[in-house]
Amino acid sequence: METKCQCGCAHTHTSPQSKEKEQSMIRKIGAPVLSGIFLITGIIFQHQQWVGFSHPVAEFCWFLLGFLPVGLPVMREAWEGILRKDWFNEFSLMALASLGAFYIGEYPEALAVMLLYTLGEMLQDKAVNQATRNIRGLLDVRPERVDVYRENTLRTVSPRDVNVGETIEVKPGERVPLDGTLQNPQAVFDTSALTGESMPRNVSAGGDVLAGMIVSGQAVRILVTKPYDHSTLARILNLVQDAAERKAPAELFIRRFARIYTPIVVLLAVLIVALPALVAAVHPGFDYVFNDWLYRGLVFLVISCPCALIISIPLGYFGGIGAASRMGILFKGSNYLDAITRVNAIVFDKTGTLTTGSFRVTSIQAAGLPEDELLRLVLSVEKKSTHPVAQAVARFAAERGVEPLEVTTLNELAGYGLEAEVGSRKVLVGNIRLLKDRKISVPGELTDCVATVVVCAVDGRYAGCLLLSDTLKEDATDAIKKLKALKIDNIQMLSGDKQEIVDIFAAELGIDKAYGDLLPEDKAVHLEQLNSAPDVSVAFVGDGMNDAPVLALSDVGIAMGGLGSDAAIESADVVIQTDQPSRVATAISIGRATRRIVMQNIIGAITVKILVLIAGAFGFATLWAAVFADVGVALLVVLNSVRILGKKF
């Protein structure tokens, strides 16, 4: 960390936390290095029959000195486990094996057990820490300091000390530390930390700015609306961290398996030593050498250590959660990562999920005047309205370069539209009912039109209309294709819109089952009926705002557009921050890939262990082979688990 003294000179200081971390790292690496030196030199001395090793005590002391740096920490963990009444864990197994090897005079192997076990644990820890850093690096980007306006001056404080209602300033390139509203007229933000997308976001004055966004261009002022612990980024980070607490069935199974498996193999190791003694007692001709059978029992113990399984399976799911986070997909737990692999029916809400939820003008039909003139009149009347339809008209006019005219009088007719004077002309803009109420005839085909219609009349005569419709999201069609490619054919769409409109969108998307004219409670009933069918696992995809009941009813609730949406984060099992329906297929693909990796770990590790256990029991495997087999299996399953972090979906 670089600081400046009063004379302005730059100095580098190391914080106490950094020093402690460095010292811990040195100790962690130094112990196996030192033990490795003792092991290698000891084996050389034995092989060369060095005079100093001629006495057994000297040989014992040499290997004991090498054993202590790596053996004591494991012995301490084993003792603490015994105090907690956790008798059968990997630490106690390693302790028994190494002490037994010392007893029978296999000093190099006793040291090798601990050394290789320590190295394996270090590599496993590194893999786990890497997976953790990959997730935290995506999300835990909250600044430690922030500039806040107090008494008309900027003061640098911790984000935790900033109150709601205060104004902060964030410089270009810095991350926003707290949720708030923009005070500048316009600003551009990089939202990649929250959405996984590099596309910049333009925010206007009064627009929402979320913690984790990066300021581009110029310094901005933000009025804080949420405290530090309730910011969007804090909630997302907590969501991912809490995900580790929600275990998938495979994780729960392997933990139960380990609790039963470990005492059984310890008992079998004891029987390997004891049963031949009983046989020798019954049959004097049987040659029983205690040390030989003890050696086999120790080999059996080392191989039986279940640490590879215990670490690799949660790491596999944790890796899957990390890979999903990088794609802007947040799973609330590994149980949902597992559940999404069983989904065979997907129900989409329409508005805000498959469509943008914003209108656009699809066509303009003028009667008796040019199209641009009709558009200019409608724009002049609608320009001050905040209604989505009026905003769609304004966008369409801007695209065509049409400017509004001066309006002298303007009256709103609730439920009908607007009445205005534009120059010397009296203009009506609104729905068909408005013109019918004024006894102005409209073309008959407009009455049956499924699109949203804005009609216009000038001086008591029909002048034309604009047809508007909701628009599909750019990747909506691709989303359905990807789901069908994943062999999910039961895809449905629910909406409160008219059935005719829903059918049009369904045909464009390639969805066979689409239901319109539904109230929220109707959607819930529909989902309950679908859930009641045998062998059907349903995922519901909604916008997270008004779909909370249906999200809760589904086997997997997926919220679209979760960025900044409290309802989405609270009600859904999976949150897609990028607002892209195609990421539903990505989430399923990640879930399936994670499950394949986890099953490979379980089957592979158990198979290898059983084979080497049998070989050890019959004397075909040495303690060296047992250690290498145990550490090797652990490393293989760890590497297999973390490869999902680099996989492309």
Side-chain angles (χ1 to χ4, degrees), residues 125-180:
D125 289 343
K126 185 176 180 181
V128 173
N129 292 335
Q130 182 61 47
T132 306
R133 282 196 300 270
N134 285 340
I135 292 175
R136 293 186 67 89
L138 292 168
L139 300 173
D140 196 10
V141 290
R142 293 170 293 186
E144 295 180 358
R145 311 297 291 174
V146 61
D147 293 331
V148 59
Y149 281 95
R150 288 177 180 170
E151 300 175 358
N152 296 322
T153 59
L154 273 179
R155 298 188 178 182
T156 303
V157 300
S158 167
R160 293 183 183 277
D161 297 330
V162 178
N163 301 315
V164 173
E166 290 191 301
T167 300
I168 61 174
E169 182 175 281
V170 187
K171 297 177 178 64
E174 292 182 351
R175 295 186 187 275
V176 177
L178 299 154
D179 289 0

Side-chain angles (χ1 to χ4, degrees), residues 317-381:
Y317 281 110
F318 202 48
I321 291 171
S325 299
R326 184 178 295 144
M327 303 292 289
I329 304 166
L330 297 182
F331 282 90
K332 281 192 173 180
S334 54
N335 53 332
Y336 301 120
L337 195 64
D338 194 74
I340 205 168
T341 64
R342 296 188 292 273
V343 166
N344 54 21
I346 296 183
V347 180
F348 284 95
D349 175 54
K350 180 182 78 68
T351 306
T353 303
L354 291 170
T355 68
T356 61
S358 61
F359 288 94
R360 68 178 177 89
V361 177
T362 55
S363 67
I364 181 169
Q365 300 173 5
L369 72 168
E371 285 186 359
D372 281 358
E373 183 64 20
L374 172 65
L375 180 58
R376 184 173 286 107
L377 290 171
V378 175
L379 174 64
S380 302
V381 177

Side-chain angles (χ1 to χ4, degrees), residues 122-344:
M122 284 177 61
L123 291 171
Q124 289 177 15
D125 289 343
K126 185 176 180 181
V128 173
N129 292 335
Q130 182 61 47
T132 306
R133 282 196 300 270
N134 285 340
I135 292 175
R136 293 186 67 89
L138 292 168
L139 300 173
D140 196 10
V141 290
R142 293 170 293 186
E144 295 180 358
R145 311 297 291 174
V146 61
D147 293 331
V148 59
Y149 281 95
R150 288 177 180 170
E151 300 175 358
N152 296 322
T153 59
L154 273 179
R155 298 188 178 182
T156 303
V157 300
S158 167
R160 293 183 183 277
D161 297 330
V162 178
N163 301 315
V164 173
E166 290 191 301
T167 300
I168 61 174
E169 182 175 281
V170 187
K171 297 177 178 64
E174 292 182 351
R175 295 186 187 275
V176 177
L178 299 154
D179 289 0
T181 55
L182 184 66
Q183 302 300 292
N184 301 53
Q186 196 83 16
V188 179
F189 296 89
D190 174 3
T191 64
S192 57
L194 297 172
T195 65
E197 294 294 313
S198 58
M199 185 68 68
R201 171 177 293 198
N202 293 303
V203 180
S204 301
D208 290 332
V209 180
L210 305 177
M213 290 181 174
I214 300 174
V215 179
S216 302
Q218 61 180 4
V220 298
R221 292 186 180 185
I222 299 167
L223 180 68
V224 177
T225 56
K226 291 181 181 177
Y228 178 83
D229 290 333
H230 294 137
S231 68
T232 298
L233 190 59
R235 293 199 316 272
I236 292 171
L237 179 59
N238 290 334
L239 174 64
V240 177
Q241 289 175 329
D242 292 344
E245 302 301 319
R246 298 183 174 94
K247 305 298 181 186
E251 287 183 84
L252 298 174
F253 158 75
I254 209 64
R255 290 183 182 278
R256 289 194 300 266
F257 172 81
R259 290 194 189 103
I260 300 169
Y261 162 86
T262 308
I264 288 175
V265 296
V266 171
L267 177 62
L268 289 174
V270 172
L271 292 176
I272 287 172
V273 180
L275 284 179
L278 294 175
V279 172
V282 176
H283 300 284
F286 181 77
D287 186 19
Y288 175 73
V289 179
F290 174 74
N291 281 2
D292 289 347
W293 287 100
L294 177 61
Y295 186 84
R296 293 186 186 186
L298 296 176
V299 169
F300 195 85
L301 269 184
V302 173
I303 299 168
S304 67
C305 181
C307 54
L309 283 172
I310 293 172
I311 188 65
S312 66
I313 293 166
L315 180 59
Y317 281 110
F318 202 48
I321 291 171
S325 299
R326 184 178 295 144
M327 303 292 289
I329 304 166
L330 297 182
F331 282 90
K332 281 192 173 180
S334 54
N335 53 332
Y336 301 120
L337 195 64
D338 194 74
I340 205 168
T341 64
R342 296 188 292 273
V343 166
N344 54 21

Side-chain angles (χ1 to χ4, degrees), residues 523-566:
K523 293 181 183 180
V525 170
H526 182 90
L527 205 74
E528 284 179 335
Q529 291 174 345
L530 189 59
N531 261 332
S532 64
D535 301 321
V536 173
S537 181
V538 183
F540 180 82
V541 189
D543 60 17
M545 298 301 291
N546 56 2
D547 294 316
V550 197
L551 285 166
L553 281 170
S554 58
D555 295 301
V556 180
I558 304 173
M560 297 293 301
L563 186 60
S565 168
D566 291 326

